[in-house]
Each structure stands twice: as structure tokens, then as C-alpha cells.
Amino acid sequence: MKCTLRENRLIFRCIVASALAAVPAAGVRAQVSVPQSYVIPPADLACILTGNRVDLQCLIANDPDFKRIRAEEAGLFNEALAAARSNTLDPFHQIETLGKLEIFDPRLSVNSNLACSFCHDPAAGYGNGASILSVFTGGANPGSVPITVHGAYPNNRMAKRNPQSYVYSPYFPPLQYNPTQGDFYGGNFWDGRATGYRLMNSAAEQAQDPPVDPEEMANPDTACVVWKLSTGSYKAFFEQVWGRGTLDIAWPGNVATICSTPKGAASLGGSATPLALSSIDRTRANQAFDEFGQAIAAYEISPAVSAFTSKFDLFLSGNGTLTAAEARGYDLFRGKAQCNTCHLDGRSNTGGSGAADTGAATNVAPMFTDFTYNNLGLPRNPVLPWYSENTPDQWGFTGNPLGIGFTDTGVGLFLGGYYGPPPNLSWGQLEPYFEGKFQTSTLRDTAKVPYPNFVKAFMHNGYLHSLKEVVHFYNTRDLYAQNVPSGQCRVGTIEKVTCWPRPEDPNNMNMVIGHLKLTDAEENDIVAFLGTLNDGFVSATPTARPAIQRKPTTPPPS
């Protein structure tokens, strides 16, 4: 993936031939890896197609995880609506509650059938909440738009990645390039494209993307989201937060027709603003859309989402202890395994030298990320339906014209102009140095699952299905490397155990990991430690006190 600057415009060029050379021949799909503990729900059996594919419309109607998510969504929305109507909230909690309403509101999608929470399940740490998708689609979730073209696969528009959790996302600063360090810091999304440059809030700008992503909520115009807010059950509450008349916009007579047409439809002629609004109303709609994003960021930074209530937080405060396995895992995390060289925990790293880390944590609420980006050398995941979205749907939209020739280069896509020119055009020249890199996510709540034996998709493409696989990959990537495509490990080896297929993108790989020389027991201890980062533990121990006390009493909950 290369890019050049020409006449102040970033030109995106993708070399299809080289991309095709790096992947299996068209039609070859990796074998689906089903964890031994996972049993496909009986309701889903009729949805499994040949060739390791799934009928997404069948799953949407029948999968028990989807039913659970929709029930949770409705309950949390109604809970927020009751709070909004109670007239008891102070301004601080009003804006949080508004963001909660927006996140759990399916009306805000083009077909009024998809809330943000559908792809970001609270019970799964605000990531993909359907085991069946982790196994068969790399965690990629169906968007608002079904595909009705006969014989098409997938039969629903789908994004190209496993949805990233948004826990603690408001703590990521606006994206900046540090020339001294030669690195990007901050931003949201796997590829950092929610820079926060305009609102100075990366999480707020991240919240604005899915509603108008053609593969997700698919609204054809940001103003369509505002129109839906102006006709919804909490219009008055929105205006209570942001000011009377905020949503008073003169909508054109065809607003319902335009706003029920998915983004990317040929009939829209490529326009990003098909709603004909006056300049004053367009400005007002843009402002309301910014306020929509800011309310979501307020909810995401609230204790309901980013709580700092894990067992590890209690341990750091001096009011809790770790089990023997968890303690060993923590020592490995900041030592031999070198995890905290990227997933910062506020401690130094001994590098496995055997030296004791005698320093105290610099922060009683570490973020477990350095806010940068890395290429871990992850293999391609051919089960992603994205690779089959290379033909037009009934609206004339083609999600991925390159098909199997597409290479996900992460930050490289963003800097190379895949989404349009980056806001800082000088960043374009940095694309070769960030090709293949993805965000170093926080490890908080990464082990959170809705029930035992739930299959969780990890990493940007959902290639790994457990924290054990994640740690084993970090440990043995180079030891068991094979120059073969995913799904074609040599006879006598087992993919993800004694074979790691070649990286999707070998450029700029992190070479600190790959051969850590951890034993199987040490891998298990690290997994045990990661489980201590799940929120909700402190809430079960109300007598616990934070490490630093200005008064001898425990403050009331927020």
C-alpha cells in the first residue's frame, strides 16, 4: 500500500497484483477453528452453510446471543429513558444518560434495526457478543442493511474487522505524531482514523463514524441521525442537555425517503449530504451531530463503562490480594513476557532478567496501553465475509471491490487515503512506516465474557479465539512460523498451536515478541492475571477503600 502527495491531495493507490500474490487463490477459505468447549447452538445449525459460511439473516433471527443482546439493549434503553424522564438528574448525569440512550437506540440506524450496542455488547466487554460470529466471521458483525441479491455472500453488509471494544476509549488523547519518538499517540479505532482533531475528543469522533458507515448503521447523511433524534422519544431530553431549539430544523419533504436509503446507494449519486438543507439548518444539524458524539463519549467515560473496578485495581489500592497464579502472571507480565512494554501498567520491566521490580506503580489506575500502534505479524483471517463483498448489492454498493486481494494495513489504510485524505496531509508521507500497524488496545475487560464457554474474537481480524491463543501467539509466533497461507499449515503441525501462517502484512513488525520462551504453565499464569482486569470486582466489595484517602470515609458511588 503506497501513497503520494500531489497538489496537496493524498492519492490512494493499491497494488492489486502484489496483494493477490500474498493470499490463497480465490475461493480458498481457511478451516473454521471451533474451540473444543464450544457447541453450536441448535437454533444456529440451520444457519450454517457449506464452505465455512453462515446465513446471517438466519442468525439475526435465531441466534441466542443475538436475542440476549437485543433484550439487554431494550432493558438498558428503557432504564436510561426512565432516568431521563425522572427530572432528578444533575447536568453531569444528564449528558451521560443521553449518551446511554443513543448507544442503545436501534432507531438511529438506516433501517431502525441496529444500535451501537448490537456490535458492542456490555456483557462481552463492549466487543462482539455472539460466539457464532467469533467462530465463523472473525467477530465481524452484520450491519443494518440486508443483501437480497440472489446467491450473494454475505447476505448482509458487514464491516472488515472485529469490532473494537470502547471501554476506556475516552482516555485515548487526540491523535498526534511525535517526531522525537517517531510514533503516533492517541486516536480511536484499530487504525486511529478517529483522530479527535476537530472536537479534541477522539471518542466523540469515533462515535460519529458507525452511524454513517455504509457497512454498519449506513445512514446516508449525518443529518439523518439528527432527524431521527428530533422525532424520537427523547427529543426533549436532548434539548434539555444541549439547549432548547437544538433540533428545530426545517426538514425537506423527502427526508423519510432519503434517510431510509442506505449510504452508498447508487441513487444517491455519491453525495455525503443528500438531504437538501439550508445553510443555517445544515450548520445546526452539524452542531447537533457533534453533540450526539460528545454525549456518547460522556457515557463511555462514565463508571458504567470505564469503571476501574477490577480485582487488580483493588490489589493496587492495597485492599486486595492476587491468587498464586495471578501473582505469577503479573510478574511475567512485567518481566519475561514483556507485556508491559506496550500495555503499560505503571511499572518498570525486568525483561526476564530475574531482577525484582521494586518500584511502586506510578498510577493507581493504569491504562494498560501506551496509546501507540503495532504490527504483531498476525496472519490473515480468510473467514472474514469482507473478502466476499466484491459484487454490488441491490443498492448498487460494493463494499470491497478488491475481494480476496484486499490487504488490511491498519494505520497504513488511514494514512494512505483509504478513507479520504487524513486531516493532516503531512501524515501521508509516514504511511510506509505505519503500514500493518493497529492500535495497542487497553487490556482492561479483555477477558470479560457473558457466560462460561463463550467464544470471544481477539485482535483486529478476530483470528484468535481465546486469551490462551493470544498469549501463545506472542510467545511462539517466530518459533512456529511457516511461510504458508492461513489454513494451509504443513502436515504434522496444528495451526495456532505448532504453526503460525505468514503475516498478512510483514512490514514494520514488532520483533520484541515472537519467541518469549514461556512455558505452557507460564502462558496460563498470564491468562489468569489478565482475568484480574475485568471490571465489576470492586463493586462486589463495598467496604474497599482507594489507596489514597483524603478523608477516612468511602465516597458514595457516582
Side-chain angles (χ1 to χ4, degrees):
M1 198 70 63
K2 304 297 179 186
C3 63
T4 58
L5 284 171
R6 185 179 304 155
E7 297 178 356
N8 293 325
R9 297 184 66 186
L10 194 66
I11 309 300
F12 173 77
R13 298 189 290 112
C14 184
I15 303 174
V16 179
S18 62
L20 286 170
V23 299
V28 175
R29 294 176 61 80
Q31 294 296 313
V32 168
S33 173
V34 181
Q36 291 184 350
S37 60
Y38 177 65
V39 178
I40 297 175
D44 290 348
L45 293 176
C47 308
I48 310 300
L49 308 175
T50 59
N52 303 325
R53 297 180 171 188
V54 287
D55 181 337
L56 290 158
Q57 295 306 310
C58 176
L59 290 179
I60 290 170
N62 297 290
D63 179 66
D65 277 327
F66 285 165
K67 291 182 178 180
R68 173 184 55 80
I69 290 168
R70 283 192 292 265
E72 291 172 352
E73 175 184 289
L76 289 165
F77 178 85
N78 289 331
E79 178 180 279
L81 189 60
R85 292 172 171 173
S86 69
N87 294 318
T88 62
L89 300 177
D90 58 32
F92 184 93
H93 291 92
Q94 285 175 358
I95 192 169
E96 286 183 0
T97 301
L98 177 59
K100 182 176 179 179
L101 284 165
E102 293 170 353
I103 278 180
F104 295 105
D105 186 358
R107 286 187 66 256
L108 299 183
S109 61
V110 69
N111 287 320
S112 299
N113 61 348
L114 184 76
C116 299
S117 56
F118 191 80
C119 303
H120 299 278
D121 176 21
Y126 292 89
N128 165 51
S131 284
I132 195 74
L133 296 184
S134 296
V135 174
F136 283 93
T137 72
N141 273 238
S144 180
V145 183
I147 295 176
T148 59
V149 175
H150 179 70
Y153 183 80
N155 61 349
N156 205 96
R157 291 190 188 178
M158 297 188 74
K160 60 183 172 292
R161 296 177 183 144
N162 176 32
Q164 189 177 23
S165 169
Y166 54 67
V167 293
Y168 300 93
S169 61
Y171 288 93
F172 283 66
L175 186 70
Q176 292 292 327
Y177 179 71
N178 184 315
T180 302
Q181 299 296 325
D183 218 340
F184 279 102
Y185 293 84
N188 267 204
F189 283 125
W190 286 115
D191 53 22
R193 69 185 187 275
T195 65
Y197 83 95
R198 194 170 58 82
L199 298 178
M200 285 294 102
N201 187 327
S202 296
E205 292 187 16
Q206 183 279 328
Q208 293 179 312
D209 187 88
V212 290
D213 187 315
E215 304 285 352
E216 298 185 49
M217 299 170 82
N219 289 287
D221 190 318
T222 58
C224 288
V225 178
V226 179
W227 173 66
K228 292 194 171 191
L229 290 168
S230 73
T231 59
S233 57
Y234 52 96
K235 174 189 176 182
F237 187 63
F238 189 99
E239 293 194 328
Q240 182 179 352
V241 172
W242 295 113
R244 181 178 298 178
T246 302
L247 298 176
D248 287 349
I249 294 171
W251 301 105
N254 65 347
V255 61
T257 300
I258 294 293
C259 291
S260 62
T261 303
K263 187 169 185 176
S267 62
L268 299 175
S271 174
T273 55
L275 279 179
L277 298 176
S278 69
S279 60
I280 293 175
D281 283 331
R282 176 59 66 176
T283 298
R284 183 171 291 179
N286 288 343
Q287 180 177 337
F289 190 61
D290 286 347
E291 293 162 346
F292 158 84
Q294 289 167 326
I296 286 180
Y299 177 64
E300 289 175 350
I301 205 171
S302 76
V305 179
S306 304
F308 295 101
T309 57
S310 71
K311 183 178 184 179
F312 185 73
D313 289 304
L314 190 66
F315 166 76
L316 276 188
S317 74
N319 291 292
T321 58
L322 303 180
T323 67
E326 292 165 352
R328 291 193 301 267
Y330 182 34
D331 287 340
L332 290 163
F333 184 91
R334 56 202 171 112
K336 182 178 179 181
Q338 302 194 64
C339 306
N340 74 343
T341 58
C342 291
H343 296 283
L344 304 184
D345 65 341
R347 304 293 290 264
S348 58
N349 185 278
T350 65
S353 63
D357 176 10
T358 58
T362 59
N363 191 326
V364 294
M367 293 305 307
F368 288 92
T369 177
D370 61 2
F371 305 108
T372 66
Y373 298 80
N374 278 275
N375 181 4
L376 303 176
L378 199 68
R380 180 185 296 266
N381 189 359
V383 303
L384 287 166
W386 175 251
Y387 295 120
S388 298
E389 294 186 60
N390 59 344
T391 56
D393 63 17
Q394 70 272 23
W395 299 96
F397 172 77
T398 303
N400 176 22
L402 290 177
I404 195 66
F406 175 85
T407 297
D408 193 346
T409 63
V411 179
L413 289 184
F414 163 53
L415 298 181
Y418 184 84
Y419 307 99
N424 184 332
L425 292 178
S426 69
W427 289 349
Q429 62 190 325
L430 301 172
E431 183 270 343
Y433 306 103
F434 288 89
E435 182 178 340
K437 293 189 175 185
F438 294 85
Q439 188 173 78
T440 302
S441 298
T442 176
L443 294 181
R444 288 179 171 274
D445 290 315
T446 192
K448 195 168 189 176
V449 292
Y451 53 84
N453 297 330
F454 177 84
V455 182
K456 193 166 187 175
F458 292 90
M459 318 306 251
H460 71 275
N461 64 4
Y463 179 76
L464 303 173
H465 289 159
S466 69
L467 285 173
K468 173 67 173 180
E469 285 188 355
V470 172
V471 175
H472 188 62
F473 172 73
Y474 277 64
N475 184 29
T476 64
R477 179 197 67 191
D478 300 340
L479 179 65
Y480 298 134
Q482 291 188 20
N483 187 24
V484 298
S486 299
Q488 298 186 31
C489 288
R490 290 194 290 269
V491 175
T493 62
I494 303 172
E495 187 161 346
K496 304 183 187 180
V497 180
T498 55
C499 166
W500 295 110
R502 61 183 174 229
E504 179 171 8
D505 189 328
N507 295 289
N508 307 306
M509 279 176 51
N510 182 325
M511 301 307 296
V512 174
I513 67 165
H515 192 188
L516 300 175
K517 300 181 181 179
L518 300 170
T519 67
D520 181 69
E522 287 174 329
E523 290 182 355
N524 293 336
D525 287 341
I526 293 172
V527 172
F529 169 69
L530 294 175
T532 70
L533 304 182
N534 287 350
D535 283 316
F537 189 86
V538 172
S539 62
T541 56
T543 58
R545 295 183 299 175
I548 301 174
Q549 288 287 308
R550 296 187 182 278
K551 295 181 180 180
T553 57
T554 301
S558 61

